[in-house]
Amino acid sequence: MRASKEIVPQTVNDSRRKKRHELHISGAEGIYDCPAITSKLSEYFTRALHHPRGRPDKIVITIEQIKEQILRVPLLPLATTECGSPAQAREMLLSALLTVGITRKAVNNCLKIISSADARRGASLISMKSGRRLEPDRQRGVRVSRMGIEKTSERRLGRRLSALNINTSTVKEALILASKVAFYPDIIAEVCISDDPDYTTGYLAGRQFGYRRIPNIKVPGDMHGGRVFFIKDTTNIKALIGYLEKQPVMAFFSWSQP
Ligand code: WAQ
Ligand code: MG
């Protein structure tokens, strides 16, 4: 599902160029059995219509039958770090990302993207060394899709998250997405800030980090947010985007701790 709103230019200069712009409001994706689709449709529709980023004037819902082989990937282990402010979050991100060989320049470019006012629908791909943006469409970004969670794992995950008081679709969907992303060998790390003005917990994820929640990564009211994937310089971008957008993935629960 994706929901957006057309923005008509306000300033004289903009209107001369007649450049209209679609503001991204909300998006969601998943893999479900046929009988579950009706209720998912209404859930997605409600989510799109009553979103803290505003009221959309266009909602697109696409349903596709999965015909390809489904890849199983382990859910990343989840932990919540202590963090009191956006400044502290930046410091934590920098020091963690440097340890896996990501350059300072690449981290700075990431921070610029996820704190820019212009929220994108998808994620940015950043070279871990040069810090260059590598996604072909910068306005749109790369949208990760076709991921879900196996039924028994969903129940186990639900119990675990309930014990932590964070059993929400926001956390579950983010963890499933991050687990699909981290499974790809050329992706070294992911940083995410929600674009919802009232959701201030973000995360750092990767095979070497697990899924590390970072509270207070932004202050309430901020509309900015986004996702950045740090990738190896040798990455075949077309193959990577093919995996992120099209490869069906089901996550399973595999944390060893009780
Ligand atoms: N593929 C790529 N990028 C995406 C996708 C996707 N499927 N969904 C969202 N994004 C990008 C896009 O740029 C959005 O503006 C940005 O991420 C934020 O999306 O454990 O809710 O859906 O408590 O607002 C983190 C949960 C929640 C932390 C993240 O993101 C926790 C969240 P949102
Ligand atoms: Mg959002």
Side-chain angles (χ1 to χ4, degrees):
M1 175 278 288
R2 62 190 167 90
S4 60
K5 181 186 173 72
E6 189 179 55
I7 301 293
V8 183
Q10 300 289 320
T11 65
V12 178
N13 277 348
D14 275 356
S15 62
R16 214 180 288 142
R17 276 191 273 131
K18 289 210 168 48
K19 207 171 153 221
R20 285 166 181 247
H21 173 72
E22 264 195 3
L23 175 71
H24 166 74
I25 301 283
S26 171
E29 40 276 303
I31 298 180
Y32 301 100
D33 287 336
C34 227
I37 291 179
T38 315
S39 74
K40 270 290 153 190
L41 272 176
S42 100
E43 188 191 314
Y44 280 180
F45 180 60
T46 307
R47 191 191 298 195
L49 217 52
H50 304 281
H51 200 277
R53 284 178 64 75
R55 196 165 176 95
D57 59 14
K58 181 169 152 189
I59 301 171
V60 178
I61 298 182
T62 308
I63 306 170
E64 292 169 299
Q65 186 184 359
I66 302 269
K67 298 190 176 122
E68 299 86 348
Q69 182 103 25
I70 295 181
L71 179 71
R72 300 182 73 230
V73 308
L75 279 176
L76 292 172
L78 173 146
T80 303
T81 53
E82 263 185 44
C83 175
S85 68
Q88 203 184 338
R90 282 167 175 260
E91 273 172 36
M92 278 176 32
L93 285 171
L94 178 65
S95 62
L97 292 167
L98 290 176
T99 64
V100 294
I102 294 168
T103 62
R104 195 175 284 267
K105 185 170 178 202
V107 176
N108 284 336
N109 287 351
C110 158
L111 295 174
K112 261 186 236 153
I113 293 170
I114 57 181
S115 48
S116 93
D118 191 21
R120 277 154 301 275
R121 192 151 76 76
S124 293
L125 308 177
I126 292 192
S127 149
M128 64 182 285
K129 296 289 179 204
S130 72
R132 276 187 27 233
R133 294 270 293 276
L134 297 174
E135 73 275 18
D137 183 344
R138 289 189 180 196
Q139 290 297 316
R140 178 180 178 276
V142 179
R143 188 86 195 172
V144 188
S145 192
R146 301 194 178 186
M147 60 280 189
I149 182 168
E150 295 175 356
K151 281 210 178 82
T152 44
S153 293
E154 185 171 25
R155 283 193 288 272
R156 279 182 73 186
L157 177 65
R159 284 196 294 274
R160 190 69 71 91
L161 295 179
S162 289
L164 299 166
N165 236 340
I166 50 170
N167 191 15
T168 64
S169 58
T170 305
V171 175
K172 278 191 277 194
E173 287 174 9
L175 178 62
I176 294 167
L177 183 151
S179 302
K180 174 176 180 179
V181 170
F183 191 76
Y184 199 79
D186 286 339
I187 299 181
I188 304 304
E190 173 189 356
V191 174
C192 168
I193 299 184
S194 170
D195 55 20
D196 301 13
D198 45 11
Y199 203 90
T200 57
T201 301
Y203 67 83
L204 163 67
R207 290 180 303 282
Q208 300 185 64
F209 299 120
Y211 178 90
R212 287 194 200 169
R213 308 177 66 241
I214 309 177
N216 302 308
I217 199 165
K218 73 174 189 180
V219 290
D222 269 358
M223 291 286 277
H224 71 250
R227 278 182 162 91
V228 166
F229 305 153
F230 292 97
I231 62 175
K232 290 183 187 163
D233 293 63
T234 50
T235 304
N236 176 333
I237 302 291
K238 214 172 148 209
L240 168 66
I241 293 177
Y243 170 80
L244 295 172
E245 292 184 341
K246 297 276 191 271
Q247 170 68 53
V249 161
M250 289 299 267
F252 63 93
F253 193 96
S254 66
W255 311 344
S256 47
Q257 68 270 42

